[in-house]
Amino acid sequence: RAEDAGEAKGTGNIEEQGSAAGTEDQALDEGRRAMRIARGHGAEQENDFEIYSNESLKSAFTSVAGIVRIGAFVVSFIALVAAGIGIMNIMLVSVTERTKEIGVRKSIGARSRDVLRQFLTEAVFISEAGGILGIILGIIAGDLLAIWLKVDIIFPYGWAIAGLLVCSAIGIGFGLYPAYRAASLDPIEALRYE
């Protein structure tokens, strides 16, 4: 009770809980009164302590979660750009190594858009393979963590689908330049390439 806590002058915690809905203000007032008695404050003195309610703790947690969410987004964005640059480099090397093959295909009737489609498909396949591997590793890590914490194992289908869609977008976005480069090769020059 508030009257029993009045002797200590140091730091302390007092927990108050409303017994019914709508008594939170009453519980806060009782806690404030207990702290004032514990610190020996008169009626005219200012409070030199803070009172936290569930709402203030909830807003603090929401604020921290928002900062963590922004940080995770930034890290994810950097990782996706790095992965996209890796895919672009792989595809540029592939175009260089397969220049003669591209020349043969174009000389026997393949159109530029066929070559473009082929290289874009390969870029999307590479990025989707990485996305599927990431989902599998995420499932394994998440299930092991759920077993360790003794909570239900869940699979976020929506996030998995969103991840695969992002992988497709990365494959198309970063594979477009190498695919365009392959499609725009002159078949005669490509056949001479050594």
Side-chain angles (χ1 to χ4, degrees):
R1 298 278 356 141
E3 292 76 19
D4 300 332
E7 302 304 321
K9 301 276 191 225
T11 302
N13 292 322
I14 296 176
E15 288 186 32
E16 283 288 330
Q17 180 176 350
S19 58
T23 61
E24 183 178 345
D25 289 338
Q26 185 180 358
L28 285 172
D29 287 341
E30 192 171 324
R32 193 173 290 112
R33 187 167 51 88
M35 287 298 293
R36 290 184 65 78
I37 290 170
R39 293 183 173 255
H41 289 327
E44 70 284 345
Q45 286 181 296
E46 289 285 325
N47 292 338
D48 60 352
F49 54 86
E50 293 184 30
I51 301 225
Y52 296 103
S53 66
N54 287 342
E55 287 302 315
S56 64
L57 293 175
K58 180 181 172 185
S59 66
F61 177 77
T62 304
S63 173
V64 169
I67 291 169
V68 169
R69 189 175 294 120
I70 290 169
F73 177 79
V74 169
V75 169
S76 300
F77 180 77
I78 291 169
L80 288 174
V81 169
I85 290 170
I87 289 171
M88 184 187 298
N89 285 335
I90 290 169
M91 295 308 298
L92 284 171
V93 168
S94 178
V95 168
T96 302
E97 288 179 351
R98 294 163 60 190
T99 300
K100 199 162 199 157
E101 173 194 329
I102 295 166
V104 169
R105 284 192 68 210
K106 288 182 100 175
S107 67
I108 60 173
R111 294 172 299 214
S112 291
R113 71 172 176 241
D114 296 328
V115 175
L116 180 80
R117 189 178 307 123
Q118 174 191 352
F119 278 89
L120 270 180
T121 303
E122 290 176 15
V124 170
F125 180 78
I126 291 169
S127 62
E128 288 294 331
I132 290 170
L133 180 64
I135 289 171
I136 290 169
L137 291 176
I139 289 170
I140 291 169
D143 289 355
L144 289 174
L145 185 64
I147 290 168
W148 182 62
L149 294 174
K150 296 181 173 96
V151 295
D152 292 335
I153 296 174
I154 59 169
F155 180 75
Y157 294 100
W159 285 111
I161 292 168
L164 291 177
L165 290 174
V166 168
C167 286
S168 294
I170 293 292
I172 291 170
F174 285 91
L176 196 57
Y177 172 69
Y180 177 75
R181 188 168 162 189
S184 63
L185 285 173
D186 179 34
I188 296 170
E189 293 298 321
L191 285 169
R192 287 186 191 155
Y193 183 80
E194 288 297 326

